[in-house]
């Protein structure tokens, strides 16, 4: 049985909803994962307003990990990157000492279409919190896949299931995507001290108990976990070695509260460079303590 079940909390972002899972009052992190949002599924109509886009905003002390099941998002950042992400691909942006970026739904605006995916943040180890910012895009061909007995699996990042993804990470971790046919079985190994599974679609059974879409199952260390798909299901698996306490406010993550205050002051004063190809607007620093801003 899971030691904790976290139900997503729905949030309206002014054009579509997300399901916020991490951080949670009872579990702030799973390994290095400190933020986890389920975007959609939603149909975005052709001609949707630009207010739905996520305008330029800053990050420190983390890597953002964008992974889509459906749709397309255009990423632009202060390193002069312009990169669309599509289903099965990975955009891995490491903020380090500071980066700014925007995420725009330009294809959906032009054509309409579905949007469905996961946005996660991975905290950086203390020794890398002030590293140089970086961005990497990985196509689907870069990511190991496996298929047998009604299970299709992709390793998005890290090492697990005897495979290693090409995505460069900063601490021991894993992040994987399962698709399970009805009745298919799959096992999450016990190799990491912190592990969780998020049901993105359908439902699964673990130790005789059923769990459905929008639930994250957090497991104790040391035992493999067997999943059985009650119906066709999609599951995201995540975890790794713990990093220790992290503070999170708005888009900033750090092991130091003082560093977050410095980042807030820098953004408020305009000392953080905006994306080269998207620098005509930005999201102001919210007044007072602010919840994390997705994307």
């Amino acid at each position: 049985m899971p030691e904790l079940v976290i139900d997503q909390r729905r949030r309206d972002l002014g054009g579509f909803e997300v399901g916020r899972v991490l951080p949670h009052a009872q579990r702030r992190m799973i390994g290095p994962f400190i933020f986890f949002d389920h975007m959609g599924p939603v149909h975005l109509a052709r001609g949707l307003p630009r207010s739905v886009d996520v305008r330029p905003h800053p990050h420190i002390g983390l890597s953002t990990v964008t992974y889509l099941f459906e749709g397309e998002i255009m990423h632009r950042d202060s390193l002069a990157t312009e990169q669309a992400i599509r289903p099965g691909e990975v955009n891995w942006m490491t903020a380090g000492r500071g980066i700014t970026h925007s995420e725009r739904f330009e294809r959906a605006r032009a054509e309409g279409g579905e949007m469905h995916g996961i946005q996660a943040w991975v905290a950086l180890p203390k020794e890398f919190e002030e590293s140089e910012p970086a961005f990497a895009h990985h196509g689907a061909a870069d990511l190991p896949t496996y298929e047998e007995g009604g299970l299709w699996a992709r390793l998005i990042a890290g090492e697990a299931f005897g495979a290693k993804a090409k995505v460069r990470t900063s601490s021991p971790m894993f992040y994987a995507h399962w698709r399970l046919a009805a009745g298919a079985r799959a096992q999450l190994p016990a190799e990491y001290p912190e592990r969780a599974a998020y049901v993105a679609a359908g439902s699964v059974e673990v130790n005789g108990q059923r769990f459905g879409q929008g639930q994250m199952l957090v497991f104790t260390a040391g035992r493999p976990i067997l999943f059985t798909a009650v119906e066709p299901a999609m599951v995201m698996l995540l975890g790794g070695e713990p990093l220790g306490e992290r503070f999170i406010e708005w888009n900033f993550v750090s092991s130091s509260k003082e560093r977050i205050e410095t980042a807030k002051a820098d953004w408020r004063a305009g000392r953080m460079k905006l994306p080269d190809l998207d620098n005509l607007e930005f999201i102001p620093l919210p007044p007072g303590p602010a919840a994390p801003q997705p994307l």
Side-chain angles (χ1 to χ4, degrees):
M1 292 294 294
E3 66 168 296
L4 176 67
V5 178
I6 301 173
D7 293 314
Q8 61 165 264
R9 292 93 69 200
R10 302 299 292 178
R11 294 184 49 148
D12 188 343
L13 298 183
F16 68 95
E17 287 190 343
V18 299
R20 176 72 40 90
V21 184
L22 295 176
H24 185 267
Q26 292 179 267
R27 191 63 183 255
R28 303 287 291 172
M29 300 174 68
I30 307 293
F33 288 83
I34 194 167
F35 178 92
F36 193 94
D37 259 8
H38 184 182
M39 301 180 289
V42 64
H43 178 80
L44 299 178
R46 180 179 177 183
L48 80 155
R50 285 177 57 86
S51 60
V52 177
D53 292 344
V54 181
R55 294 169 291 155
H57 59 282
H59 291 286
I60 65 164
L62 56 84
S63 293
T64 66
V65 189
T66 307
Y67 183 81
L68 298 180
F69 309 125
E70 295 181 278
E72 179 178 305
I73 299 174
M74 178 60 73
H75 165 100
R76 298 184 179 92
D77 64 35
S78 50
L79 302 176
T81 306
E82 182 176 51
Q83 177 64 59
I85 180 170
R86 301 175 181 89
E89 302 176 345
V90 172
N91 275 5
W92 187 286
M93 184 185 76
T94 298
R97 60 179 175 78
I99 198 169
T100 67
H101 76 135
S102 65
E103 304 282 20
R104 306 271 186 187
F105 301 104
E106 294 172 353
R107 182 172 180 180
R109 179 168 298 112
E111 303 174 5
E114 306 305 311
M115 179 57 60
H116 192 197
I118 302 291
Q119 167 85 125
W121 296 357
V122 176
L124 296 174
K126 287 183 180 180
E127 63 267 29
F128 296 125
E129 285 186 314
E130 297 300 317
S131 61
E132 289 296 311
F135 177 86
H137 173 82
H138 294 271
D142 282 350
L143 309 177
T145 59
Y146 171 83
E147 188 167 7
E148 184 178 4
L151 166 69
W152 176 93
R154 170 181 284 133
L155 183 62
I156 298 168
E159 296 185 55
F161 311 103
K164 181 177 181 178
K166 292 183 180 179
V167 178
R168 183 177 179 182
T169 60
S170 299
S171 65
M173 59 161 288
F174 73 99
Y175 190 29
H177 172 198
W178 280 353
R179 289 200 306 258
L180 295 148
R185 306 174 80 190
Q187 184 168 274
L188 174 62
E191 60 188 288
Y192 288 96
E194 297 189 359
R195 300 165 299 155
Y198 176 74
V199 184
S203 60
V204 297
E205 187 177 276
V206 177
N207 198 27
Q209 187 171 347
R210 182 170 177 166
F211 301 95
Q213 180 175 324
Q215 293 187 301
M216 177 175 280
L217 319 179
V218 183
F219 300 104
T220 55
R223 300 178 64 181
I225 307 298
L226 181 64
F227 293 75
T228 302
V230 179
E231 58 185 316
M234 192 155 58
V235 179
M236 303 298 287
L237 307 149
L238 60 147
E241 298 284 343
L243 295 181
E245 186 179 27
R246 289 295 183 275
F247 302 102
I248 181 169
E249 185 174 341
W250 195 40
N251 303 312
F252 304 129
V253 168
S254 179
S255 58
S256 162
K257 288 184 177 180
E258 292 75 18
R259 179 64 181 92
I260 289 180
E261 291 302 316
T262 300
K264 288 165 61 178
D266 287 343
W267 184 244
R268 190 183 294 114
R271 290 190 288 265
M272 297 182 76
K273 180 177 178 288
L274 291 172
D276 298 71
L277 302 174
D278 194 352
N279 56 20
L280 300 180
E281 58 179 345
F282 60 88
I283 301 176
L285 182 73
Q293 169 78 30
L295 299 173

